[in-house]
């Protein structure tokens, strides 16, 4: 989704803005632009469709644009095609205001009609342009007054950055439902969509809240609440990761780097939470009483986080003996859900900013549920709006296709499962200790899989040209198959679907023909034979079979499958953490062999902040 960076300081702004934008590239975009003010040139705006490099070349890395205050933007098109004119910053008719925006102004059509009737000329198809023209319309010499009126008039979601040529010693930011952070420096200050854009310059940040407006000067930042402009004291946070965490570190792609980081990320996530043979979840304030009375457990998420939820359902139902409903966030809020004050909503989100998930969280809370979230980005909106939050200590995830966030979300699910089960008394001491011990061996077992990545590379070389790929599995193997299929389709653009293996014969098997690849997941030992019957069914219809099982069943599977990869044996509940790794690698190598843009797949954005 769109990325925003704003700088005010004493250095040339353009190179800093371009560098900040390059750190936001991972969010997904299709055009980019900057606006920089200088006494000589006034407000200079340069925009270009395509990669940031195109913009950077236009201004020779920023050397052609002078001034020490400015805004930059990467645009992920929603209203209006990707083009130079639709790129941000959008500028008012009189050239006085430049605006960058992330979100959607929902009533922009109506505002545009009103303004056009008054003679205002629009140049783009964007919703954002109405903000620039409205600022001009309401401006009587006081920018804050004009902005307050604009915010009163617009509906929807926004993170806004504004620069006014009349007040070039300040930048203004405003937020509602789209993320925006402020970075504090010595003689300079930043606004940005996330901390990756500013961490090279400062670790001292704060998170703007909904309904807040910030005025940035070189010497400070003042935050106000909208609409009465009352000053707000913001809590500062120190970013505790190194900039190298957001760099490729010698890998060709962030995705491979992040796949390889999984043993560490998994260990970092579980280790501090296991003390003296017990799970300790600091900050989690859910006791026996609530759990005992809990009438429903919803898991709410989107995409891969939803797939974690699918695996979590099997785990939590087994451990807690309570029924668990996994719901897509985009459906939850419109399905009239049954929620009471005894309901627990487990919300899963890497970014903590996914708008569908955030809206579902708010709906769940409005209806009385208690919200526990699993989030990677510290200080994100979902984290802040939850009753309880457990962070995944995965570090920044830059590749659009999630890998280490998925793995660490699963790790937290296991911890929650064990913690709640112990409180509910649904798990015996021996089983508890057995699972916990095995959980601590998972990072090493993931490492062993990673050391054999060439085997997966070889399998990818056999199948990367297939036009259609099915993933089949039963129970948790089915849940992991969903993630394997999504990973493959999002970065390789091969059509792929995941099926509960038993469901194939109810329709989908008609699609199986010679040359179709079926990735068969048969790691869940209890259902190995059942799964193998489904494998025989598709093989006899001409499918190629790539099998995934555990080391102890490899020889059995090889009797039928064309090619088998085996993961180390583990406790059945923990299998998804191992199974997913070869599937991530398979997607990666297939995409690599097909020449795809792995870290930035077409049409996708990392943090989906529009509905
Ligand atoms: C796929 C992927 C997405 C996200 C989804 C939810 O690789 O990354 O499907 O899982 O957009 O994002 P978060 O977890 O940030 O809410």
């Amino acid at each position: 989704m769109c990325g925003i960076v704003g700088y005010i300081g004493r250095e040339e702004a353009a190179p800093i803005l371009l560098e900040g934008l390059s750190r936001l590239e991972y969010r997904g975009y299709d055009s980019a632009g900057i606006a920089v003010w200088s006494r000589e040139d006034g407000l200079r705006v340069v925009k270009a469709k395509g990669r940031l490099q195109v913009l950077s070349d236009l201004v020779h890395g920023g050397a052609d644009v002078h001034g020490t205050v400015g805004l930059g933007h990467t645009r992920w098109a929603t209203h209006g095609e990707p083009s130079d004119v639709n790129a941000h910053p959008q500028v008012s008719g009189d050239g006085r205001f430049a605006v960058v925006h992330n979100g959607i102004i929902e009533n922009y059509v109506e505002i545009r009609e009103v303004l056009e009737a008054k003679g205002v000329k629009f140049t783009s198809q964007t919703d954002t342009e109405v903000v620039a023209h409205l600022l001009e319309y309401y401006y009587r010499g006081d920018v804050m007054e004009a902005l307050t009126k604009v915010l009163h008039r617009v509906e929807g979601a926004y993170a806004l950055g504004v620069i006014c040529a009349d007040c070039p010693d300040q930048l203004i930011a405003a937020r509602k439902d789209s993320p925006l952070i402020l970075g504090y420096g010595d003689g300079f200050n930043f606004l940005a969509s996330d901390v990756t854009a500013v961490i090279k310059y400062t670790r001292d940040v704060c998170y703007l809240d909904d309904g807040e407006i910030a005025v940035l000067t070189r010497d400070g930042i003042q935050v106000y609440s909208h609409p009465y402009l009352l000053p707000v004291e913001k809590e500062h946070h120190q970013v505790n990761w190194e900039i190298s965490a957001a760099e490729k570190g010698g890998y060709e792609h962030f995705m491979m780097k992040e796949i390889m980081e999984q043993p560490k990320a998994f260990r970092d996530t579980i280790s501090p939470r296991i003390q003296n043979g017990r799970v300790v979840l600091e900050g989690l304030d859910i006791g026996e009483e609530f759990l005992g009375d809990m009438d429903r457990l919803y898991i709410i998420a989107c995409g891969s986080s939803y797939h974690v939820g699918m695996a979590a359902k099997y785990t939590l139902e087994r451990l807690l003996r309570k029924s668990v409903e996994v719901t897509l966030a985009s459906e939850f809020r419109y399905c009239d859900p049954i929620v009471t004050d005894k309901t627990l909503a487990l919300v899963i989100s890497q970014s903590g900013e996914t708008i569908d998930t955030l809206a579902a969280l708010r709906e769940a809370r409005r209806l009385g549920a208690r919200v526990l979230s699993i989030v990677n980005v510290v200080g994100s909106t979902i984290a802040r709006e939850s009753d309880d939050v457990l962070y995944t200590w995965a570090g920044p995830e830059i590749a659009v296709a999630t890998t280490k966030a998925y793995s660490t979300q699963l790790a937290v699910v296991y911890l929650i499962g064990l913690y709640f089960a112990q409180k509910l008394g649904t798990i015996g001491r021996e089983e508890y200790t057995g699972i916990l011990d095995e959980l601590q061996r998972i990072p090493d077992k993931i490492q062993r899989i990673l050391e054999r990545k060439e085997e997966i590379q070889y399998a990818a070389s056999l199948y990367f040209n297939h036009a259609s790929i099915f993933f089949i599995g039963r129970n948790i193997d089915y849940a992991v198959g969903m993630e394997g299929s999504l990973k493959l389709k999002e970065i390789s653009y091969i059509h792929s679907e995941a099926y509960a293996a038993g469901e194939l014969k109810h329709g989908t098997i008609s699609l199986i023909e010679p040359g179709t690849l079926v990735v068969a997941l048969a790691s869940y030992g209890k259902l190995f034979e059942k799964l193998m019957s489904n494998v025989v069914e598709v093989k006899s219809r001409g499918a190629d079979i790539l099998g995934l099982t555990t080391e102890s069943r490899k020889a059995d599977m090889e009797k039928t499958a064309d090619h088998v990869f085996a993961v180390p044996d583990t406790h059945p509940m923990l299998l998804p953490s191992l199974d997913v790794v070869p599937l991530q690698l398979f997607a990666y190598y297939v995409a690599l062999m097909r020449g795809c843009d792995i870290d930035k797949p077409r049409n996708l954005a990392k943090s989906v902040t529009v509905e």
Side-chain angles (χ1 to χ4, degrees), residues 302-305 349-351 354 357 400-402 409 486-487 490 608:
C302 302
S304 294
S305 297
S349 175
Q350 185 282 129
S351 61
T354 303
T357 311
V400 163
T402 184
Q409 287 167 351
L486 177 65
K487 215 80 310 175
E490 68 182 329
V608 185

Side-chain angles (χ1 to χ4, degrees), residues 298 300 327-337 339 345 359-361 363-364 367:
Y298 282 108
I300 303 170
T327 317
L328 290 165
S330 52
E331 289 295 315
F332 180 85
R333 52 188 301 211
Y334 302 118
C335 73
D336 200 4
V339 173
L361 175 157
E363 177 66 359
L367 295 169

Side-chain angles (χ1 to χ4, degrees), residues 54-105:
V54 181
L55 173 69
S56 182
D57 289 347
L58 269 181
V59 294
H60 295 100
D64 289 359
V65 181
H66 299 291
T68 56
V69 54
L71 292 168
H73 188 267
T74 45
R75 173 175 185 256
W76 189 82
T78 55
H79 296 65
E81 58 176 11
S83 68
D84 293 358
V85 276
N86 286 337
H88 300 197
Q90 291 291 321
V91 180
S92 59
D94 60 3
R96 187 178 271 130
F97 293 97
V99 175
V100 292
H101 169 219
N102 175 18
I104 290 179
I105 305 298

Side-chain angles (χ1 to χ4, degrees), residues 62 76 80 92 124 168 179 306 311 342 349 408 423 437 449 464 517 520 531 558 604:
W76 189 82
S92 59
S124 79
Y306 170 78
K342 294 186 169 54
S349 175
T408 51
K423 288 209 176 291
D437 287 349
I449 297 171
F464 75 97
L517 176 64
L531 192 278
E558 275 172 342
L604 292 180

Side-chain angles (χ1 to χ4, degrees), residues 255 300-307 347-358 374-377 382 397 399-403 405-406 409 483 486-487 490-491 601 604-608:
M255 183 175 175
I300 303 170
C302 302
S304 294
S305 297
Y306 170 78
H307 296 156
V347 170
I348 308 178
S349 175
Q350 185 282 129
S351 61
E353 300 293 351
T354 303
I355 194 78
D356 287 325
T357 311
L358 178 60
I374 302 177
V375 175
N376 192 42
V377 178
I382 289 176
E397 191 179 62
V400 163
T402 184
T403 52
Y406 174 95
Q409 287 167 351
E483 176 60 6
L486 177 65
K487 215 80 310 175
E490 68 182 329
I491 62 169
L604 292 180
K606 182 70 183 164
S607 173
V608 185

